[in-house]
Amino acid sequence: MLKKPFNENILKNLKLKNSFIRSAIWEGLADKDGFVTEELINFYKELSQGGVGTIITGFSNIVEYDKPASNMIGIYDDKFIPGLKELVDEVHKTDCKIFLQLVIGGSQGRPGSSKRIVGPSAHTHPVTKQQAEELTIEEILELEEKFKLAGIRAKKAGFDGVQIHGAHGYLLSQFMNPLFNKRKDSYGREISGRSKFLLEVYDKIREGVGNDYLISVKLNCEDFVDGGATEEEMLWVCKELSKRNIDLIEVSGGSVISRKNEGVIRIGINNINDEGYFQSFAEKISKLINTPISTVGGIRTYEKVLSIFENTNIQFVSLARPLLCEPNLINEWESGNYTKAFCKSCNGCLNPKGSRCILKK
């Protein structure tokens, strides 16, 4: 029996107060070295007080040399644990759960942020123009270990789970994209090889945190670019992750090289038919595997949320931009005020200094 969005929900061994997830978005509020600041804590405090059941943080860098954005959360060293624990403890005061998103940015990071740019194959990124050097197999294995250590640190800091960022054109996503992955070894060619890095990252984190700790992944439904990873290939990846008992798959799509308005954060969400633009894939995979699925992408109305819960097997709904604009939106909907989210999908929040809504109420 599908649960309504405000009913208590269970994910693995976590009791969630509702089925709304704040999807990850870079906040740019850590200090320049990646340490938690009072601003960052207050940012998540406001979100948690707004009623959302689960928060996924903005991405955190698992190695010092790879930093896809400035002022992002650091998780590559034990020195970050005390500050992160303070953040987690504040969020938990409102019975809200919080996951830490783990990433390697590769060539799609913001130019000048990273000390070293790596990729599945040597390339120059068509948008950022950053030049990436090809990872050796030994280096891939080293990065898998870094993901494992980051997961262990997140658990020590009290996070309720972690999310592997395998979407949006960052490194793990690039490995699955044939336009970037030209390898002829076991990490290339068919999707079984191109997804091997991602699958092994999951296995390594699971090895480090144990079977009882929640691990989720954010995946593209497809790359929305000619020659990129296809829907059929990504269905295969989802099935493989499900076989490994991944705990949650958040379905997204695209990257900065996607075809116009077919990428991650689309503009022009003017009516209910424009909402949930990754929902069809989320529905499709939810019928094929038992793993819980969350869908994100342009959801603006409570009417759309209800439609998802009443007519599909999708178990969670994720929102990002609307909660930048209205952190209290979920409380408003729960109170019976079903006004459409104020977010205009203008993408004015995509600020080089951090994600900030220019229309925040």
Side-chain angles (χ1 to χ4, degrees), residues 242-260:
S242 184
K243 290 176 185 176
R244 286 167 154 82
N245 296 316
I246 191 91
D247 299 307
L248 175 70
I249 297 174
E250 187 180 38
V251 173
S252 190
S255 70
V256 297
I257 66 168
S258 297
R259 294 183 291 266
K260 187 176 181 181

Side-chain angles (χ1 to χ4, degrees), residues 265-328:
I265 39 180
R266 303 181 188 181
I267 58 174
I269 312 302
N270 298 317
N271 60 67
I272 195 169
N273 295 323
D274 298 325
E275 297 180 50
Y277 38 80
F278 303 127
Q279 182 184 332
S280 61
F281 181 93
E283 281 191 61
K284 189 175 296 185
I285 194 61
S286 71
K287 295 174 182 177
L288 297 175
I289 61 178
N290 293 323
T291 301
I293 302 296
S294 184
T295 186
V296 70
I299 296 167
R300 300 289 178 267
T301 62
Y302 189 65
E303 180 183 359
K304 181 64 173 177
V305 171
L306 274 184
S307 174
I308 291 170
F309 281 97
E310 292 176 351
N311 300 308
T312 78
N313 295 323
I314 297 168
Q315 293 176 249
F316 296 92
V317 165
S318 296
L319 303 103
R321 287 177 291 173
L323 297 182
L324 276 179
C325 185
E326 297 173 275
N328 201 49

